[in-house]
Amino acid sequence: MDALKPHAENRCFGGTVGFYKHTSQECGGEMRFAVYLPPQAQAGKVPVLYYLSGLTCTEDTFLIKGGAQQLAAELGLMLVVPDTSPRQTGIPKEDADWEVGTAAGFYLDATQAPWASRFRMYSYVTRELPELVGKHFPARMDREGIFGHSMGGHGALVCALRQPGRYRSVSAFAPISAPMRCPWGQKAFGTYLGADTEAWRAWDATELLRGGARVPPLLVDQGTNDKFLAEQLKPELLRAACEQAGQPLTLRSQDGYDHGYYFVSTFMADHLRHHAAALNA
Amino acid sequence: MDALKPHAENRCFGGTVGFYKHTSQECGGEMRFAVYLPPQAQAGKVPVLYYLSGLTCTEDTFLIKGGAQQLAAELGLMLVVPDTSPRQTGIPKEDADWEVGTAAGFYLDATQAPWASRFRMYSYVTRELPELVGKHFPARMDREGIFGHSMGGHGALVCALRQPGRYRSVSAFAPISAPMRCPWGQKAFGTYLGADTEAWRAWDATELLRGGARVPPLLVDQGTNDKFLAEQLKPELLRAACEQAGQPLTLRSQDGYDHGYYFVSTFMADHLRHHAAALNA
């Protein structure tokens, strides 16, 4: 494997957390990502589990707050965590609104100026980043799983629904269920994809399910005390879409939990075991 | 118990993380701390484990990065985490230097102006905060343990060494071992305690050991790739002081680990079990 040198590296649970930056073709400039290599990666290739983070996060949020490395080390899973968008693109007002622009890439390929040339997070996350990982890390590229939180939980669903058969395992923490039907999604899709809502359907998990896409059995956790639950997340729309589609879904309502990483970390072990069951099979 | 209302609260591993602020007598103004209540605290009193954080940290650092709540929930330990100093005291240049002043209280009682009236972290951590915890939380105050990281690792040692018999369990991650003999300690002690180095001995773990103080068997982890190891931490001085004093010490050298929370979290479970063995006995 060619060397890809991390700009920071920390030993963690017998493996290493590494932070990388590179020039992305898809995103037309620098992109950052983080990788946790479990101890098993010293001896051979291991499955790859992508984690897509939510609004305002960076590539290090999950590794600091998620509490995943201990069990990933035990299960032998590589964790790959991209940043949530390109940064310092020079696009006017890219940092002006936390719901769109920097750290709000929504894991889609923008079609509208001035975003279209840089905000191509779907192609980055599903094609360019995996190619880089396959080239530079001891990754079993035939064994990929994907999960995420909030914007990234929806991103994980869409990445999998758009590529049936690719990801062996999929799960989400408090995902945006139907971006076409919530303010976060409507703002982002209007900005990145334009006013024609027909074009939005290809990037909405519930619409993809309605269109016939299927993925491995889904695990989704949602806190009942999540302040974004009713207005933005709407898990009932995901449940209805899965029921109508015959898509297996385990949607768990977690009493009293909120939207943050104290919630995510609490149920991290269940998600990692869900992925390992498929990835290590 | 009287109500002490958290300004933020998050459900976590079946218990709750709560963040509190109150007017401290010892520190002459507002102080902040955080508490993790394990699920067992809903049914009765539980042992209390204090965690003292390092330079630049706040009361939430450990709960976000330490990865302790999962096992604390299993073991039934309450975690109590004070801030690292008073803040916004009005003392000139309190924020000017990360090694002294704000977030650098060093868990001692300052004697020098202008610090003496506010920087009384030792009395705060060992007397006022425990009284508050005993009054407002379901705490078994006859079962206290203490640990910490770096500046707070040394703080934990000193709190225990100054009160033989009080804490049932003590441990540290990468502690400053002998502040009188390293730049961090010399700067802080000179600032808070004045030029007379005789007065420093009462706040230096190795000097307290030399003076005859003893604590329960110590567990200390130290990464070999810690950039502060040789100049600031000097675990060999702690080892020598313990050997000379006959103080039981398990000092573990962890290959390749650095000074941060990727290191701390990796060995958190060992420390929590060390404390639980004494606190739950």
Side-chain angles (χ1 to χ4, degrees):
Chain A
M1 283 168 291
D2 299 347
L4 183 69
K5 200 176 149 48
H7 60 86
E9 195 171 37
N10 309 89
R11 196 143 183 78
C12 185
F13 288 102
T16 50
V17 172
F19 297 92
Y20 301 86
K21 40 193 168 184
H22 70 112
T23 302
S24 163
Q25 297 298 314
E26 290 292 353
C27 297
E30 182 180 279
M31 285 297 294
R32 293 175 174 234
F33 65 97
V35 173
Y36 178 65
L37 284 177
Q40 294 86 342
Q42 292 160 28
K45 293 188 172 187
V46 297
V48 182
L49 179 55
Y50 303 93
Y51 181 87
L52 306 185
S53 308
L55 290 164
T56 76
C57 292
T58 73
E59 74 281 10
D60 71 3
T61 309
F62 170 73
L63 294 163
I64 291 172
K65 299 184 173 184
Q69 289 93 302
Q70 181 166 17
L71 189 52
E74 190 180 305
L75 298 170
L77 301 177
M78 182 187 308
L79 304 172
V80 176
V81 189
D83 197 357
T84 45
S85 80
R87 294 175 189 266
Q88 299 180 296
T89 61
I91 295 173
K93 297 191 181 174
E94 64 182 339
D95 297 333
D97 184 343
W98 69 282
E99 297 174 327
V100 70
T102 300
F106 269 81
Y107 305 102
L108 52 72
D109 288 343
T111 58
Q112 303 299 299
W115 308 97
S117 64
R118 303 296 300 270
F119 277 63
R120 296 182 52 77
M121 288 298 290
Y122 173 74
S123 290
Y124 177 73
V125 161
T126 61
R127 192 166 56 232
E128 187 175 12
L129 179 60
E131 282 175 12
L132 204 66
V133 168
K135 189 174 171 193
H136 295 285
F137 297 87
R140 291 198 61 171
M141 296 310 296
D142 58 333
R143 289 171 183 258
E144 296 175 295
I146 193 164
F147 68 152
H149 171 229
S150 195
M151 171 182 78
H154 181 261
L157 297 176
V158 165
C159 287
L161 286 163
R162 287 176 62 106
Q163 298 174 91
R166 172 170 176 182
Y167 298 98
R168 291 193 177 210
S169 55
V170 188
S171 77
F173 299 96
I176 299 171
S177 290
M180 292 181 67
R181 289 177 273 174
C182 77
W184 275 343
Q186 288 159 358
K187 181 194 277 189
F189 283 15
T191 301
Y192 297 134
L193 302 173
D196 177 8
T197 59
E198 272 307 308
W200 297 11
R201 297 188 191 281
W203 301 104
D204 179 299
T206 59
E207 292 295 324
L208 290 165
L209 283 161
R210 185 183 297 182
R214 299 292 177 272
V215 291
L218 292 171
L219 172 62
V220 174
D221 276 306
Q222 174 61 58
T224 62
N225 199 29
D226 185 326
K227 67 180 173 180
F228 301 116
L229 178 55
E231 187 184 10
Q232 304 283 9
L233 306 177
K234 305 188 179 192
E236 69 280 6
L237 298 181
L238 180 64
R239 187 195 295 280
C242 285
E243 280 176 2
Q244 201 165 13
Q247 165 64 46
L249 165 71
T250 301
L251 172 58
R252 308 192 304 187
S253 185
Q254 303 292 3
D255 189 40
Y257 287 85
D258 60 30
H259 195 64
Y261 273 84
Y262 292 116
F263 155 69
V264 171
S265 61
T266 296
F267 302 102
M268 184 56 61
D270 292 346
H271 285 248
L272 293 176
R273 292 190 193 285
H274 168 81
H275 289 277
L279 295 174
N280 288 335
Chain B
M1 282 167 289
D2 299 347
L4 183 70
K5 201 175 147 50
H7 60 85
E9 196 172 37
N10 309 90
R11 196 146 183 77
C12 185
F13 288 103
T16 50
V17 172
F19 297 92
Y20 301 86
K21 40 192 168 185
H22 70 112
T23 302
S24 162
Q25 297 298 314
E26 290 293 354
C27 297
E30 182 181 278
M31 284 297 295
R32 294 175 174 234
F33 66 96
V35 173
Y36 177 65
L37 285 176
Q40 294 85 343
Q42 292 160 29
K45 293 188 174 187
V46 296
V48 182
L49 179 55
Y50 303 92
Y51 181 88
L52 306 185
S53 309
L55 291 164
T56 77
C57 291
T58 72
E59 74 281 11
D60 70 3
T61 309
F62 171 72
L63 293 163
I64 291 172
K65 299 183 172 185
Q69 290 93 301
Q70 181 167 17
L71 190 53
E74 191 180 305
L75 299 170
L77 301 177
M78 182 186 309
L79 305 172
V80 175
V81 189
D83 198 356
T84 45
S85 80
R87 293 173 189 269
Q88 298 180 296
T89 61
I91 295 173
K93 298 190 180 175
E94 64 181 338
D95 298 333
D97 184 342
W98 69 282
E99 296 174 328
V100 70
T102 301
F106 270 81
Y107 306 102
L108 52 73
D109 289 343
T111 58
Q112 303 300 299
W115 308 97
S117 63
R118 304 297 300 271
F119 278 63
R120 296 182 51 77
M121 288 300 289
Y122 174 73
S123 290
Y124 177 73
V125 162
T126 60
R127 191 165 58 231
E128 186 174 14
L129 180 60
E131 283 175 12
L132 204 67
V133 168
K135 188 174 172 193
H136 294 287
F137 297 88
R140 290 197 61 171
M141 296 309 295
D142 59 333
R143 288 171 183 257
E144 297 175 293
I146 192 163
F147 69 153
H149 172 229
S150 195
M151 172 182 78
H154 181 261
L157 298 175
V158 166
C159 288
L161 285 163
R162 287 176 62 107
Q163 299 174 91
R166 172 168 176 184
Y167 298 99
R168 291 194 176 208
S169 54
V170 188
S171 77
F173 300 96
I176 299 171
S177 290
M180 291 182 67
R181 290 178 273 174
C182 78
W184 276 342
Q186 288 158 357
K187 181 193 278 189
F189 284 15
T191 302
Y192 298 134
L193 302 173
D196 177 8
T197 58
E198 272 308 308
W200 298 9
R201 296 188 192 281
W203 302 105
D204 179 300
T206 59
E207 293 295 322
L208 290 164
L209 283 161
R210 185 183 298 181
R214 300 292 178 271
V215 292
L218 292 171
L219 172 63
V220 174
D221 276 306
Q222 174 61 58
T224 63
N225 200 29
D226 185 325
K227 67 179 174 181
F228 302 115
L229 178 55
E231 187 185 9
Q232 304 282 9
L233 305 176
K234 306 189 179 192
E236 69 280 5
L237 297 181
L238 180 63
R239 186 195 295 279
C242 285
E243 280 176 3
Q244 201 164 14
Q247 165 65 44
L249 165 70
T250 302
L251 172 58
R252 309 192 303 186
S253 185
Q254 302 293 2
D255 188 40
Y257 287 85
D258 60 30
H259 194 64
Y261 273 84
Y262 291 117
F263 154 68
V264 171
S265 61
T266 296
F267 302 102
M268 184 56 62
D270 292 346
H271 285 248
L272 292 176
R273 292 190 193 284
H274 168 82
H275 289 277
L279 295 173
N280 289 334

